[in-house]
Amino acid sequence: MLKSSIVKEMYPLFINGEYVQSSSEETFPTYNPATGKPLAQIAKANREDVDQAVKAARLALEKGKWAKWPASRRAQILNRIAGIMRERFEELCELEVLNSGKSLSAAQGQVHQAIEDFELYAGACTTLSGQTKPVPNGFFHYTKKEPVGVCAQIIPWNYPLMMAAWKVAPALAAGCTIVLKPASLTPITAYVLADICHEAGVPSGVINVVTGSGADIGAYLTEHPGVDKVAFTGETNTGKDIMKNASATLKRITLELGGKSPNLVFADADLEGAVDGSLFGIFYNTGQSCEARSRLFVHESIYDSFIERFVEKTKKLRLGNPLQKTTQIGAIISAAQCDTIDSYVQSAIAEGARVLCGGKRPEGTDFQEGHWYEPTVIVDCHNQMKAAQEEIFGPVVMIMKFKEEQEAIQLANETEFGLAAAVWTQDFSRAHRVTEKLKAGVVMINTPFSAMPGLPFGGYKQSGFGRELAIESLDLYSETKSVLSFIGPKPLNPFGV
Ligand code: NAP
Ligand code: MG
């Protein structure tokens, strides 16, 4: 795997429409997880740089034209962003693969979705409108949507460009201004997106990108008095810190956090469809997805045949060079993440579980460099094991048995998380009866696909709150102003004095 010529040697900060070095001139390397080798140097912002970025965003909000332009003009620019992304599709996909180690096919789907997000919100821009409410005679009332303000948007490494799009597109549509902080492991495509926004006509200061330590500048952003809203996607524990930090200034927050999503396969499911869908449900993006269906519950009557097919197909999944079109399973983001995954597998074994396949780093010359883990199937486990309760964020599935529908629902809900859940059955009534009882923000029936532009995505319980990817998000980037006026012929005299 050669370092591609499309990667720049150095990615500076993007503040107020300009590329600038960090004020300390410090940088840090970003890597290709498939080779473990450095890809580029990234500017390391400090708090002074964050102050500059927030100042630029504040100025663009209050003195700039972005929020004042007609919504149709913002829509035009969002469509232009999508258009440029389409023109630079191959480059975006390749950069995403090189910086995250995900397979090209996964990156293509995600870049495509990122483009559609901008198109979705381009259309949605013009739907942002107020209402008029019935009021007593002599009064007139209307509500009006206004941008929530300066938004700090902090995103994870697992879907770098897609998460940036989920955040940036609705904020732009609502007239907000942005300080985007990508994950330190995968900062490159956020910079390309900023470049594209600039080229498409987003005015200077409306979108700013800062890179550097989450514990330092990320935390600083979440307590910064110049920031009105924090939109965060990442781990549940980081989300809890952010909620605490943001409370001092009562910022608006949305939190898209971790998951431990269940996958329920009933006896009447189409077996092949359920096997194939469950396989995708866990191993897509090498299991490094918030919505990974990492707990698989199978009805006891089909348990053996399901497992036989599932393991047979797991062994056929193609691991390897993420840039190769045929690769299905890419690399793991970092050596530390590989160790975390393995320690969960070892903990399951120590608690009495059995590994049917995987459970180790792959062998062979293709995997001598970089970070890799084989798709892993664990059985003889139960729902209270550490590996069944905590988010592993890797290609590891715990398969368990159930007898009754009620039991399946109970097991599915027995987790602190509530992001997604899948149900496999051909019984229409059961599908919806079970769905009603699942404590999850996203439920899939007979399909592994959980996110499509236009459909609200977000969690129950400790998977966070707020919804993204849909028109509903616009409300989370807006304040509602309620305006009551008196229009009677004589002035009001409420005290009557
Ligand atoms: P993470 O460790 O929580 O980091 C996410 C982002 O927060 C990074 O940009 C990080 O910066 C920054 N950060 C770290 N500590 C911070 C702090 N104290 N204050 C403010 N920002 C801070 O998450 P991750 O490991 O990148 O991503 C994996 C997690 O994301 C998983 O739990 C996954 O389930 C979740 N996720 C959820 C969704 C969803 O829609 N619900 C979607 C995708 C991923 P650095 O990179 O510099 O540390
Ligand atoms: Mg993390």
Side-chain angles (χ1 to χ4, degrees), residues 156-157 185 234-235 238 337 393:
W157 49 259
L185 289 164
E235 291 173 30
T238 318
Q337 186 63 16
F393 227 58

Side-chain angles (χ1 to χ4, degrees), residues 205-285:
V206 172
I207 177 166
N208 306 276
V209 184
V210 292
T211 34
S213 150
D216 178 17
I217 62 158
Y220 184 54
L221 271 169
T222 64
E223 62 192 37
H224 201 294
V227 169
D228 300 297
K229 171 181 171 122
V230 179
F232 171 76
T233 298
E235 291 173 30
T236 292
N237 281 336
T238 318
K240 289 178 186 175
D241 286 343
I242 286 175
M243 200 162 166
K244 266 188 231 149
N245 269 350
S247 72
T249 44
L250 276 184
K251 294 189 199 321
R252 280 80 185 110
I253 51 175
T254 44
L255 300 174
E256 298 277 358
L257 309 176
K260 194 73 194 174
S261 298
N263 196 359
L264 308 180
V265 183
F266 288 92
D268 56 23
D270 176 305
L271 190 67
E272 282 306 307
V275 167
D276 294 342
S278 304
L279 205 69
F280 189 84
I282 177 63
F283 296 129
Y284 171 68
N285 216 45

